[in-house]
């Protein structure tokens, strides 16, 4: 790895902008909304059977998606603005082990240092018949292929680790926790990545590789390999002149 390469997370402003470009170029939120509209109400209805109130803990997802979900108008929400580890430490310290009917973790397990311990802890907070929803990139996505093939050659960062639903389901199996996994297709238009000097493309390349200024700092051989692979069928599909990266998501519903 070239010494000039550094993690995208080392430049907060560039990371935020690259993430914004990713959201604009992908169907990530549409994919999540589809699940929230079609699957989630049924899951929560089973949880809420004969209950006057459902207690929901949101970890990493903010208030928007679940609060906007259809058919949930009678559910009250309480948002805790802290990291999962901060919440876990506070709960253990104060010994306030409140039980929850529904816990959801949206695209946040990449930023947890000990994922099995985190899963075990939050699973222990589930009430009878409760569920925990985990959303992260699918093991069949292009991310899985990209991270496995090139992760060791890209800048490593303590803030983020490479984990997909394939890794997570193995962890859940080892913990003896029951779950159901749903995969939904999501794509990310990375066509601009192949246009020299295109600002949007450069920011998307940064996001894909989690590398600050990837196009100008990556060793030529690494850049050439990655740019070639991104156009291969195991990573992307070509449709109507566009290169659409496989950004598929997994929605894992964990049983109490």
């Amino acid at each position: 790895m070239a010494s000039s390469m550094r993690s995208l997370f080392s430049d907060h402003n560039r990371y935020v902008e690259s993430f914004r470009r990713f959201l604009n170029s992908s169907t990530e939120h549409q994919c999540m909304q589809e699940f929230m509209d079609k699957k989630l109400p049924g899951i929560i209805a089973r949880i809420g059977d004969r209950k006057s109130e459902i207690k929901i803990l949101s970890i990493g997802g903010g208030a928007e998606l679940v609060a906007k979900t259809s058919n949930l108008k009678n559910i009250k929400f309480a948002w805790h603005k802290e990291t999962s580890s901060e919440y876990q430490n506070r709960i253990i310290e104060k010994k306030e082990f409140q039980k929850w009917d529904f816990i959801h973790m949206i695209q946040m397990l990449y930023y947890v240092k000990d994922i099995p311990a985190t899963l075990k802890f939050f699973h222990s907070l589930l009430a009878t018949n409760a569920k925990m929803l985990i959303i992260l990139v699918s093991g069949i996505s292009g991310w899985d292929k990209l991270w496995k093939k090139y992760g060791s050659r890209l800048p490593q960062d303590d803030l983020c680790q490479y984990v997909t639903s394939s890794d997570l389901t193995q962890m859940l199996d080892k913990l003896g926790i029951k779950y159901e996994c749903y995969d939904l297709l999501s794509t990310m238009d990375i066509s601009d990545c192949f246009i020299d000097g295109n600002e949007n493309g450069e920011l998307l390349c940064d996001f894909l590789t989690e590398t600050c200024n990837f196009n100008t700092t990556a060793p030529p051989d690494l850049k050439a390999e990655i740019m070639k692979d991104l156009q291969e069928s195991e990573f992307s599909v070509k449709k109507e002149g566009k290169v659409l990266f496989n950004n598929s998501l997994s929605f894992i519903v964990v049983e109490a």
Side-chain angles (χ1 to χ4, degrees):
M1 184 176 70
S3 59
S4 58
M5 290 179 73
R6 61 190 176 99
S7 168
L8 180 58
F9 297 102
S10 66
D11 186 331
H12 178 72
N13 290 337
R14 191 165 179 87
Y15 167 73
V16 170
E17 182 60 23
S18 70
F19 181 65
R20 188 179 73 81
R21 300 297 179 104
F22 158 70
L23 291 178
N24 289 341
S25 302
S26 76
T27 59
E28 172 117 341
H29 277 175
Q30 295 95 311
C31 178
M32 288 187 187
Q33 196 64 54
E34 180 184 349
F35 181 87
M36 300 297 176
D37 289 340
K38 294 181 179 179
K39 294 280 187 183
L40 188 61
I43 292 169
I44 290 187
R46 292 195 295 274
I47 297 170
D49 189 33
R50 298 178 184 175
K51 288 186 179 180
S52 59
E53 181 180 83
I54 296 178
K55 295 178 180 177
I56 297 177
L57 176 63
S58 166
I59 307 166
E64 313 91 42
L65 286 173
V66 174
K68 289 179 181 177
T69 301
S70 59
N71 304 322
L72 303 182
K73 293 177 182 177
N74 296 324
I75 296 176
K76 297 177 182 178
F77 295 88
W79 306 105
H80 296 257
K81 292 187 177 180
E82 57 195 332
T83 67
S84 63
S85 58
E86 288 170 347
Y87 177 80
Q88 187 172 337
N89 291 336
R90 177 169 62 81
I91 292 299
I92 293 173
E93 186 179 324
K94 294 185 177 181
K95 296 182 179 179
E96 297 175 345
F97 295 98
Q98 180 179 345
K99 294 289 185 177
W100 299 90
D101 298 303
F102 184 62
I103 297 174
H104 67 82
M105 301 176 169
I106 299 179
Q107 293 285 45
M108 53 72 63
L109 284 174
Y110 319 107
Y111 311 104
V112 172
K113 288 188 176 180
D114 190 338
I115 296 175
T118 300
L119 292 172
K120 188 175 181 180
F121 172 76
F122 284 103
H123 184 258
S124 73
L125 300 184
L126 291 175
T128 304
N129 297 325
K131 309 280 187 189
M132 179 163 65
L133 171 65
I134 301 169
I135 303 177
L136 77 170
V137 295
S138 170
I140 63 171
S141 69
W143 293 107
D144 184 78
K145 318 295 186 299
L146 187 67
W147 292 340
K148 284 178 178 174
K149 187 169 183 178
Y150 295 106
S152 63
R153 298 168 66 187
L154 294 169
Q156 301 295 301
D157 194 290
D158 289 340
L159 288 175
C160 186
Q161 59 178 312
Y162 304 131
V163 59
T164 70
S165 62
S166 296
D167 306 304
L168 199 71
T169 52
Q170 287 179 21
M171 295 176 195
L172 291 169
D173 287 339
K174 285 184 179 179
L175 290 168
I177 295 174
K178 294 182 179 179
Y179 61 88
E180 288 182 290
C181 185
Y182 306 87
D183 281 324
L184 289 183
L185 176 65
S186 170
T187 59
M188 170 185 175
D189 185 352
I190 60 171
S191 307
D192 287 348
C193 294
F194 307 99
I195 302 173
D196 287 341
N198 184 285
E199 182 190 24
N200 189 55
E202 290 183 352
L203 285 161
L204 290 175
C205 281
D206 283 9
F207 189 81
L208 281 163
T209 61
E210 294 181 5
T211 303
C212 191
N213 297 305
F214 173 78
N215 277 346
T216 56
T217 63
D221 59 335
L222 175 62
K223 179 182 174 182
E225 286 178 54
I226 289 179
M227 299 310 287
K228 181 178 182 297
D229 270 349
L230 286 175
Q231 298 183 74
E232 298 296 331
S233 59
E234 59 183 318
F235 292 87
S236 306
V237 296
K238 293 182 179 180
K239 187 176 181 180
E240 299 175 353
K242 295 180 179 180
V243 181
L244 304 176
F245 181 76
N246 187 333
N247 183 58
S248 292
L249 300 177
S250 287
F251 298 78
I252 301 173
V253 181
V254 175
E255 307 285 334

